[in-house]
Amino acid sequence: TAPNPTQAQEGGWILLQNLHLMQSWLPRLERKLEVCSEHAHQDFRCYVNAEPPGFSYQKNIPESLLQGCIKISNEAPSDIKSNIERAWAPFDQARLEESSMPVEFRACLFGLCFFHGVMLGRKRFGQQGWSRGYGFNMGDLSICADVLQNYLEENGGVVPWEDLRYIFGEIM
């Protein structure tokens, strides 16, 4: 919901997520926040999160909204080792051992994390050396790990390399 005057006057907190998906609503939000700020309690907070526009037809967050905010960015590390460690971190020991083929699962998962790390590292170079940008994010990595585990479980002791190469290289 948008911030309302009652929350602002009482010092409430609001969290608005994925503002980049609500392009047409941003001017109204900007105006509501302006109205709320006139009589806001000193403890009132409105947290917003958004991603930068991914397509040329998308607009940026209004500048006046950004100017009134404290901005925090979560950017990928600049080196490959840090990128791989960051990609590997969400997979705890229990997740790594729940597969019936834990050695193969870890090896393939490391390959996916390495790929993810390379993709993140390449972003800072833009299109140089690539035909297009690749948006392989943490959600994609998590889904790939689920697909990997399912494929390993269903193929009874044999790693289906050709299938996995096609799924991860062409589909995902």
Side-chain angles (χ1 to χ4, degrees), residues 111-129:
L112 288 171
C113 290
F114 183 82
F115 175 73
H116 181 73
V118 169
M119 291 296 104
L120 287 178
R122 290 297 306 163
K123 280 186 178 181
R124 65 180 189 192
F125 297 106
Q127 300 290 349
Q128 181 180 355

Side-chain angles (χ1 to χ4, degrees), residues 41-62:
H41 189 276
Q42 68 179 10
D43 292 334
F44 172 66
R45 300 289 183 269
C46 179
Y47 294 93
V48 298
N49 84 1
E51 294 180 5
F55 301 102
S56 59
Y57 61 84
Q58 291 179 320
K59 299 175 185 171
N60 286 324
I61 305 290

Side-chain angles (χ1 to χ4, degrees), residues 56-167:
S56 59
Y57 61 84
Q58 291 179 320
K59 299 175 185 171
N60 286 324
I61 305 290
E63 188 174 332
S64 61
L65 186 61
L66 288 175
Q67 287 175 346
C69 296
I70 297 172
K71 290 155 280 305
I72 300 172
S73 65
N74 184 10
E75 296 182 9
S78 60
D79 62 304
I80 188 82
K81 181 181 177 187
S82 298
N83 282 335
I84 293 170
E85 287 174 351
R86 186 176 182 190
W88 186 264
F91 303 103
D92 61 0
Q93 193 64 29
R95 174 68 196 263
L96 296 175
E97 292 175 355
E98 70 185 26
S99 174
S100 63
M101 299 173 64
V103 173
E104 292 82 357
F105 178 72
R106 285 182 188 170
C108 292
L109 183 60
F110 179 79
L112 288 171
C113 290
F114 183 82
F115 175 73
H116 181 73
V118 169
M119 291 296 104
L120 287 178
R122 290 297 306 163
K123 280 186 178 181
R124 65 180 189 192
F125 297 106
Q127 300 290 349
Q128 181 180 355
W130 297 79
S131 59
R132 63 185 173 98
Y134 295 90
F136 192 73
N137 60 33
M138 289 303 290
D140 296 326
L141 179 60
S142 177
I143 290 169
C144 284
D146 293 342
V147 169
L148 171 63
Q149 185 169 358
N150 289 339
Y151 257 77
L152 290 177
E153 301 302 320
E154 291 176 7
N155 283 295
V158 178
V159 179
W161 291 113
E162 291 300 318
D163 294 348
L164 293 175
R165 187 177 302 126
Y166 179 76
I167 289 170

